[in-house]
Amino acid sequence: APSPAALPVAALVPAPDPLLTFSYTRARPDVIYEVQTTTDLSNPAGWSAAGVTQGLPDAAGLTTATIPAGPAPRFLRLSVTLAP
């Protein structure tokens, strides 16, 4: 089983410039990781990486993506696909 420390974590960084952060570990080099966002969970096609700063992994693969927090509810997910 994976370590709980290896699971993705979402957080809100407060003012002056509020940000939503999503931290995860890039565990495999043959996989493409992309944080996506939507404001409407009822629309499966509404997920997008637009406006998300994906971030760069550190030596251990820990990566933190950020997106400006706004007044509307926003949802985040990690899309994981096998590299071609």
Side-chain angles (χ1 to χ4, degrees), residues 34-73:
E34 182 181 65
V35 175
Q36 299 174 339
T37 183
T38 187
T39 57
D40 182 4
L41 289 177
S42 67
N43 178 8
W47 290 96
S48 169
V52 178
T53 301
Q54 295 294 325
L56 296 173
D58 67 12
L62 181 64
T63 307
T64 299
T66 60
I67 185 167

Short mmCIF file of all heavy atoms in Angstrom, two decimals, residues 34-73:
data_model
loop_
_atom_site.label_atom_id
_atom_site.label_comp_id
_atom_site.label_asym_id
_atom_site.label_seq_id
_atom_site.Cartn_x
_atom_site.Cartn_y
_atom_site.Cartn_z
N GLU A 34 -0.99 15.82 -14.93
CA GLU A 34 -1.54 17.15 -15.21
C GLU A 34 -2.65 17.47 -14.21
O GLU A 34 -3.62 16.73 -14.09
CB GLU A 34 -2.10 17.21 -16.63
CG GLU A 34 -2.64 18.58 -17.00
CD GLU A 34 -3.20 18.60 -18.40
OE1 GLU A 34 -4.21 17.91 -18.67
OE2 GLU A 34 -2.62 19.31 -19.24
N VAL A 35 -2.48 18.58 -13.49
CA VAL A 35 -3.54 19.03 -12.58
C VAL A 35 -4.56 19.80 -13.41
O VAL A 35 -4.20 20.66 -14.22
CB VAL A 35 -2.96 19.90 -11.44
CG1 VAL A 35 -4.07 20.46 -10.57
CG2 VAL A 35 -1.98 19.07 -10.61
N GLN A 36 -5.82 19.45 -13.21
CA GLN A 36 -6.91 20.09 -13.94
C GLN A 36 -7.91 20.68 -12.95
O GLN A 36 -7.96 20.26 -11.80
CB GLN A 36 -7.61 19.06 -14.83
CG GLN A 36 -6.70 18.45 -15.86
CD GLN A 36 -7.36 17.33 -16.63
OE1 GLN A 36 -8.34 16.73 -16.20
NE2 GLN A 36 -6.79 17.01 -17.79
N THR A 37 -8.71 21.62 -13.44
CA THR A 37 -9.68 22.30 -12.58
C THR A 37 -11.02 22.45 -13.30
O THR A 37 -11.08 22.44 -14.53
CB THR A 37 -9.14 23.68 -12.15
OG1 THR A 37 -10.06 24.29 -11.26
CG2 THR A 37 -8.91 24.59 -13.32
N THR A 38 -12.06 22.58 -12.49
CA THR A 38 -13.40 22.87 -13.01
C THR A 38 -14.19 23.58 -11.92
O THR A 38 -13.85 23.48 -10.74
CB THR A 38 -14.14 21.60 -13.47
OG1 THR A 38 -15.37 21.98 -14.13
CG2 THR A 38 -14.47 20.69 -12.31
N THR A 39 -15.23 24.27 -12.32
CA THR A 39 -16.15 24.87 -11.35
C THR A 39 -17.49 24.14 -11.35
O THR A 39 -18.37 24.46 -10.56
CB THR A 39 -16.40 26.36 -11.67
OG1 THR A 39 -16.90 26.46 -13.01
CG2 THR A 39 -15.13 27.19 -11.54
N ASP A 40 -17.62 23.14 -12.23
CA ASP A 40 -18.90 22.44 -12.40
C ASP A 40 -18.68 20.93 -12.47
O ASP A 40 -18.33 20.40 -13.53
CB ASP A 40 -19.59 22.95 -13.66
CG ASP A 40 -20.95 22.33 -13.90
OD1 ASP A 40 -21.43 21.54 -13.04
OD2 ASP A 40 -21.55 22.62 -14.95
N LEU A 41 -18.88 20.23 -11.37
CA LEU A 41 -18.68 18.78 -11.35
C LEU A 41 -19.70 18.02 -12.18
O LEU A 41 -19.49 16.86 -12.50
CB LEU A 41 -18.71 18.28 -9.90
CG LEU A 41 -17.51 18.65 -9.05
CD1 LEU A 41 -17.71 18.15 -7.62
CD2 LEU A 41 -16.23 18.10 -9.62
N SER A 42 -20.81 18.66 -12.55
CA SER A 42 -21.83 17.96 -13.35
C SER A 42 -21.47 17.93 -14.83
O SER A 42 -22.16 17.29 -15.61
CB SER A 42 -23.20 18.61 -13.15
OG SER A 42 -23.22 19.92 -13.71
N ASN A 43 -20.39 18.62 -15.22
CA ASN A 43 -19.97 18.65 -16.62
C ASN A 43 -18.64 17.91 -16.78
O ASN A 43 -17.58 18.48 -16.55
CB ASN A 43 -19.82 20.11 -17.09
CG ASN A 43 -19.36 20.20 -18.53
OD1 ASN A 43 -19.27 19.21 -19.24
ND2 ASN A 43 -19.04 21.41 -18.95
N PRO A 44 -18.67 16.64 -17.19
CA PRO A 44 -17.43 15.86 -17.31
C PRO A 44 -16.44 16.46 -18.31
O PRO A 44 -15.24 16.25 -18.19
CB PRO A 44 -17.90 14.49 -17.78
CG PRO A 44 -19.36 14.44 -17.55
CD PRO A 44 -19.85 15.85 -17.51
N ALA A 45 -16.92 17.21 -19.29
CA ALA A 45 -16.03 17.81 -20.29
C ALA A 45 -15.47 19.15 -19.83
O ALA A 45 -14.69 19.77 -20.55
CB ALA A 45 -16.79 17.99 -21.61
N GLY A 46 -15.85 19.60 -18.64
CA GLY A 46 -15.45 20.91 -18.16
C GLY A 46 -14.07 20.97 -17.52
O GLY A 46 -13.61 22.05 -17.15
N TRP A 47 -13.40 19.84 -17.37
CA TRP A 47 -12.07 19.82 -16.76
C TRP A 47 -11.04 20.39 -17.72
O TRP A 47 -11.04 20.08 -18.90
CB TRP A 47 -11.68 18.40 -16.38
CG TRP A 47 -12.48 17.87 -15.24
CD1 TRP A 47 -13.59 17.08 -15.32
CD2 TRP A 47 -12.26 18.09 -13.85
NE1 TRP A 47 -14.06 16.79 -14.06
CE2 TRP A 47 -13.25 17.40 -13.14
CE3 TRP A 47 -11.30 18.81 -13.13
CZ2 TRP A 47 -13.33 17.41 -11.75
CZ3 TRP A 47 -11.37 18.81 -11.74
CH2 TRP A 47 -12.37 18.12 -11.06
N SER A 48 -10.14 21.25 -17.18
CA SER A 48 -9.13 21.89 -18.02
C SER A 48 -7.89 22.22 -17.19
O SER A 48 -7.99 22.47 -15.98
CB SER A 48 -9.71 23.18 -18.60
OG SER A 48 -8.71 23.95 -19.21
N ALA A 49 -6.75 22.27 -17.85
CA ALA A 49 -5.51 22.70 -17.19
C ALA A 49 -5.27 24.19 -17.40
O ALA A 49 -4.28 24.73 -16.90
CB ALA A 49 -4.33 21.90 -17.72
N ALA A 50 -6.17 24.87 -18.11
CA ALA A 50 -6.01 26.31 -18.35
C ALA A 50 -5.98 27.06 -17.02
O ALA A 50 -6.81 26.83 -16.15
CB ALA A 50 -7.15 26.81 -19.22
N GLY A 51 -5.00 27.93 -16.88
CA GLY A 51 -4.89 28.73 -15.66
C GLY A 51 -4.15 28.05 -14.53
O GLY A 51 -3.91 28.65 -13.49
N VAL A 52 -3.77 26.78 -14.72
CA VAL A 52 -3.05 26.03 -13.68
C VAL A 52 -1.55 26.14 -13.97
O VAL A 52 -1.10 25.82 -15.06
CB VAL A 52 -3.46 24.54 -13.64
CG1 VAL A 52 -2.66 23.79 -12.59
CG2 VAL A 52 -4.95 24.39 -13.40
N THR A 53 -0.79 26.60 -12.98
CA THR A 53 0.67 26.56 -13.08
C THR A 53 1.09 25.19 -12.58
O THR A 53 0.91 24.88 -11.39
CB THR A 53 1.31 27.69 -12.24
OG1 THR A 53 0.81 28.94 -12.72
CG2 THR A 53 2.82 27.64 -12.33
N GLN A 54 1.60 24.34 -13.46
CA GLN A 54 1.82 22.94 -13.13
C GLN A 54 2.97 22.72 -12.14
O GLN A 54 2.95 21.76 -11.39
CB GLN A 54 2.07 22.13 -14.40
CG GLN A 54 0.87 22.08 -15.33
CD GLN A 54 -0.32 21.33 -14.75
OE1 GLN A 54 -0.20 20.36 -14.02
NE2 GLN A 54 -1.52 21.80 -15.07
N GLY A 55 3.94 23.59 -12.10
CA GLY A 55 5.07 23.42 -11.17
C GLY A 55 6.08 22.40 -11.68
O GLY A 55 5.80 21.63 -12.59
N LEU A 56 7.27 22.43 -11.08
CA LEU A 56 8.34 21.52 -11.47
C LEU A 56 8.65 20.58 -10.31
O LEU A 56 8.65 21.01 -9.15
CB LEU A 56 9.59 22.30 -11.85
CG LEU A 56 9.45 23.21 -13.08
CD1 LEU A 56 10.70 24.07 -13.25
CD2 LEU A 56 9.21 22.37 -14.32
N PRO A 57 8.96 19.32 -10.58
CA PRO A 57 9.25 18.38 -9.50
C PRO A 57 10.61 18.68 -8.86
O PRO A 57 11.54 19.12 -9.53
CB PRO A 57 9.26 17.02 -10.19
CG PRO A 57 9.53 17.31 -11.63
CD PRO A 57 8.98 18.68 -11.89
N ASP A 58 10.70 18.42 -7.55
CA ASP A 58 12.00 18.50 -6.88
C ASP A 58 12.74 17.18 -7.11
O ASP A 58 12.28 16.33 -7.87
CB ASP A 58 11.85 18.85 -5.40
CG ASP A 58 11.16 17.77 -4.57
OD1 ASP A 58 10.98 16.63 -5.05
OD2 ASP A 58 10.81 18.07 -3.41
N ALA A 59 13.87 17.00 -6.46
CA ALA A 59 14.69 15.80 -6.67
C ALA A 59 13.94 14.51 -6.34
O ALA A 59 14.19 13.46 -6.92
CB ALA A 59 15.97 15.89 -5.86
N ALA A 60 12.99 14.58 -5.41
CA ALA A 60 12.20 13.40 -5.01
C ALA A 60 10.93 13.24 -5.83
O ALA A 60 10.16 12.30 -5.61
CB ALA A 60 11.85 13.50 -3.53
N GLY A 61 10.69 14.16 -6.78
CA GLY A 61 9.49 14.09 -7.61
C GLY A 61 8.30 14.86 -7.06
O GLY A 61 7.25 14.91 -7.69
N LEU A 62 8.44 15.49 -5.87
CA LEU A 62 7.33 16.26 -5.30
C LEU A 62 7.07 17.48 -6.16
O LEU A 62 7.99 18.26 -6.45
CB LEU A 62 7.63 16.67 -3.87
CG LEU A 62 6.52 17.46 -3.18
CD1 LEU A 62 5.25 16.62 -3.03
CD2 LEU A 62 6.97 17.98 -1.83
N THR A 63 5.84 17.63 -6.58
CA THR A 63 5.43 18.72 -7.47
C THR A 63 4.24 19.43 -6.86
O THR A 63 3.33 18.79 -6.34
CB THR A 63 5.03 18.15 -8.85
OG1 THR A 63 6.10 17.33 -9.34
CG2 THR A 63 4.72 19.25 -9.83
N THR A 64 4.24 20.76 -6.92
CA THR A 64 3.11 21.54 -6.43
C THR A 64 2.58 22.42 -7.55
O THR A 64 3.30 23.28 -8.07
CB THR A 64 3.49 22.40 -5.22
OG1 THR A 64 3.92 21.54 -4.17
CG2 THR A 64 2.29 23.22 -4.73
N ALA A 65 1.34 22.18 -7.95
CA ALA A 65 0.65 23.00 -8.94
C ALA A 65 -0.13 24.07 -8.19
O ALA A 65 -0.58 23.83 -7.06
CB ALA A 65 -0.28 22.15 -9.78
N THR A 66 -0.31 25.24 -8.82
CA THR A 66 -1.06 26.32 -8.18
C THR A 66 -2.06 26.92 -9.15
O THR A 66 -1.88 26.87 -10.37
CB THR A 66 -0.11 27.45 -7.69
OG1 THR A 66 0.61 27.98 -8.81
CG2 THR A 66 0.86 26.95 -6.65
N ILE A 67 -3.11 27.48 -8.58
CA ILE A 67 -4.11 28.20 -9.35
C ILE A 67 -4.66 29.30 -8.45
O ILE A 67 -4.85 29.10 -7.25
CB ILE A 67 -5.24 27.27 -9.85
CG1 ILE A 67 -6.20 28.03 -10.76
CG2 ILE A 67 -5.97 26.60 -8.71
CD1 ILE A 67 -7.15 27.16 -11.53
N PRO A 68 -4.88 30.51 -9.00
CA PRO A 68 -5.44 31.57 -8.17
C PRO A 68 -6.80 31.16 -7.60
O PRO A 68 -7.63 30.59 -8.30
CB PRO A 68 -5.58 32.76 -9.13
CG PRO A 68 -4.62 32.46 -10.24
CD PRO A 68 -4.58 30.96 -10.35
N ALA A 69 -7.00 31.42 -6.32
CA ALA A 69 -8.30 31.14 -5.69
C ALA A 69 -9.22 32.32 -5.97
O ALA A 69 -8.80 33.47 -5.96
CB ALA A 69 -8.12 30.94 -4.19
N GLY A 70 -10.47 32.02 -6.24
CA GLY A 70 -11.45 33.06 -6.51
C GLY A 70 -12.68 32.85 -5.65
O GLY A 70 -12.72 31.94 -4.82
N PRO A 71 -13.70 33.67 -5.88
CA PRO A 71 -14.91 33.56 -5.05
C PRO A 71 -15.76 32.33 -5.38
O PRO A 71 -16.50 31.85 -4.53
CB PRO A 71 -15.67 34.85 -5.36
CG PRO A 71 -15.17 35.27 -6.71
CD PRO A 71 -13.75 34.78 -6.80
N ALA A 72 -15.64 31.81 -6.60
CA ALA A 72 -16.46 30.65 -6.99
C ALA A 72 -15.81 29.36 -6.50
O ALA A 72 -14.59 29.26 -6.45
CB ALA A 72 -16.60 30.61 -8.51
N PRO A 73 -16.63 28.35 -6.17
CA PRO A 73 -16.05 27.05 -5.82
C PRO A 73 -15.23 26.51 -6.99
O PRO A 73 -15.59 26.69 -8.15
CB PRO A 73 -17.26 26.16 -5.56
CG PRO A 73 -18.40 27.10 -5.32
CD PRO A 73 -18.08 28.34 -6.09
#
